Amino acid sequence: MRIIVVDTPEQMGKVAAEIVLAERAKKAKGDFVLGLATGSTPIPLYKELIRLKEEGKFSPKKLMSFNLDEYVGLPPSHDQSYRYFMNQQLFDELGIDKKKTFVPDGMAKDIEAFCADYEAKMKAAGGVDVQVLGIGRNGHVGFNEPGTSLASRTHKVKLTADTIDANARFFAKASDVPTEAITMGVGTILESKVALLLASGANKADVILKAIEGPVTAAVPASALQLHPKPIFVLTRDACCKGLSFHYEKKCCSCC
Ligand code: PGA
């Protein structure tokens, strides 16, 4: 496990982008497959990837993406859907071919069949090379809430009150937050070649300590990353202010 501690969310974004580029450089043939996350945490990474694209250092060609999750019942045109978020925060600016960007379809009529097909598409793409992850205050990754099987595949979930509460800030009122979502499973996430978990802010410190140093348990789905072959945590200092005894790397900026 690699743990990289930085001072600011902007530095977190730069370090994460360096990791994405380094992994991409290792890929000799085929499309580079990024697993993507929504939420506020990965935004500095997406800004940095757009900046690198403008500098000619990151190309949207030979790039594919699979998003972790999507609300059930929100169409792509809804400004709180994760497809809309990805278009706004990354895809439009990057100029990526949208046909190569996959986000779970929250409007799918047969969700079970959709989930099986999503898994098949990831497999056909050769698997996810780098899976970007945020972490919920309750330890969720994607929308895998506490209690989700660590072997789970892409599936429909009921959101917990804590997650609905955390996401209510994006909706006019809490009752507008969808109560269900489609998410890659923990087992799906564990099959990515690199898992890149980002966290910033003191409100994540308790759960980061549990995820990295606590027991591997479905009660904290992110703790399953301890079983991942190549987990990398890029954390701001305040997100690990509850202390980490694991050896970690410090970086004060991307050029260190
Ligand atoms: P956040 O959400 O990045 O907005 O904190 C993370 C998550 O809930 O997975």
Side-chain angles (χ1 to χ4, degrees):
M1 181 181 292
R2 254 183 101 188
I3 303 166
I4 304 171
V5 179
V6 297
D7 287 321
T8 66
E10 290 69 32
Q11 289 166 4
M12 178 190 73
K14 280 185 189 295
V15 170
E18 282 174 11
I19 292 166
V20 168
L21 264 63
E23 291 301 321
R24 185 180 201 174
K26 290 181 198 161
K27 183 118 187 186
K29 48 178 192 210
D31 285 341
F32 181 66
V33 184
L34 262 178
L36 297 173
T38 54
S40 48
T41 309
I43 290 177
L45 163 63
Y46 299 156
K47 280 195 182 0
E48 180 64 7
L49 290 177
I50 292 164
R51 195 187 68 76
L52 290 168
K53 185 245 170 181
E54 281 159 7
E55 280 187 357
K57 295 179 182 155
F58 183 70
S59 167
K61 296 206 183 92
K62 297 198 77 177
L63 186 63
M64 269 179 98
S65 69
F66 287 90
N67 262 79
L68 279 171
D69 48 14
E70 177 61 285
Y71 289 116
V72 168
L74 295 193
S77 56
H78 191 290
D79 66 1
Q80 291 307 324
S81 76
Y82 287 171
R83 163 57 77 179
Y84 188 93
F85 175 100
M86 290 310 304
N87 287 347
Q88 297 288 312
Q89 298 294 337
L90 186 65
F91 298 155
D92 288 343
E93 300 280 342
L94 213 51
I96 186 171
D97 177 358
K98 296 258 179 73
K99 290 197 288 298
K100 289 167 82 173
T101 66
F102 298 90
V103 179
D105 179 3
M107 302 301 284
K109 286 203 173 59
D110 182 344
I111 290 187
E112 213 172 298
F114 175 84
C115 293
D117 185 58
Y118 202 67
E119 290 272 339
K121 283 197 169 72
M122 272 185 273
K123 200 167 177 200
V128 170
D129 291 304
V130 176
Q131 177 63 59
V132 176
L133 298 163
I135 182 169
R137 294 176 308 198
N138 64 3
H140 73 207
V141 280
F143 271 135
N144 293 290
E145 301 285 24
T148 306
S149 161
L150 302 186
S152 53
R153 313 299 311 184
T154 302
H155 63 296
K156 185 170 89 169
V157 294
K158 280 204 186 313
L159 303 182
T160 61
D162 190 54
T163 297
I164 292 173
D165 176 52
N167 291 355
R169 66 192 193 276
F170 301 116
F171 291 81
K173 49 188 189 311
S175 58
D176 290 346
V177 185
T179 56
E180 293 180 327
I182 296 171
T183 183
M184 283 186 201
V186 181
T188 319
I189 292 167
L190 290 179
E191 281 176 9
S192 57
K193 288 161 206 148
V194 174
L196 179 58
L197 188 139
L198 311 180
S200 55
N203 63 341
K204 300 288 173 70
D206 284 319
V207 76
I208 282 294
L209 189 59
K210 286 184 195 157
I212 295 176
E213 300 200 356
V216 174
T217 167
V220 183
S223 66
L225 295 175
Q226 295 176 34
L227 304 175
H228 191 283
K230 201 167 174 195
I232 306 177
F233 287 73
V234 186
L235 311 169
T236 58
R237 204 165 301 284
D238 53 358
C240 43
C241 63
K242 295 288 157 77
L244 287 175
S245 54
F246 268 64
H247 171 75
Y248 60 81
E249 304 163 45
K250 286 183 212 148
K251 278 199 171 201
C252 66
C253 65
S254 60
C255 54
C256 293

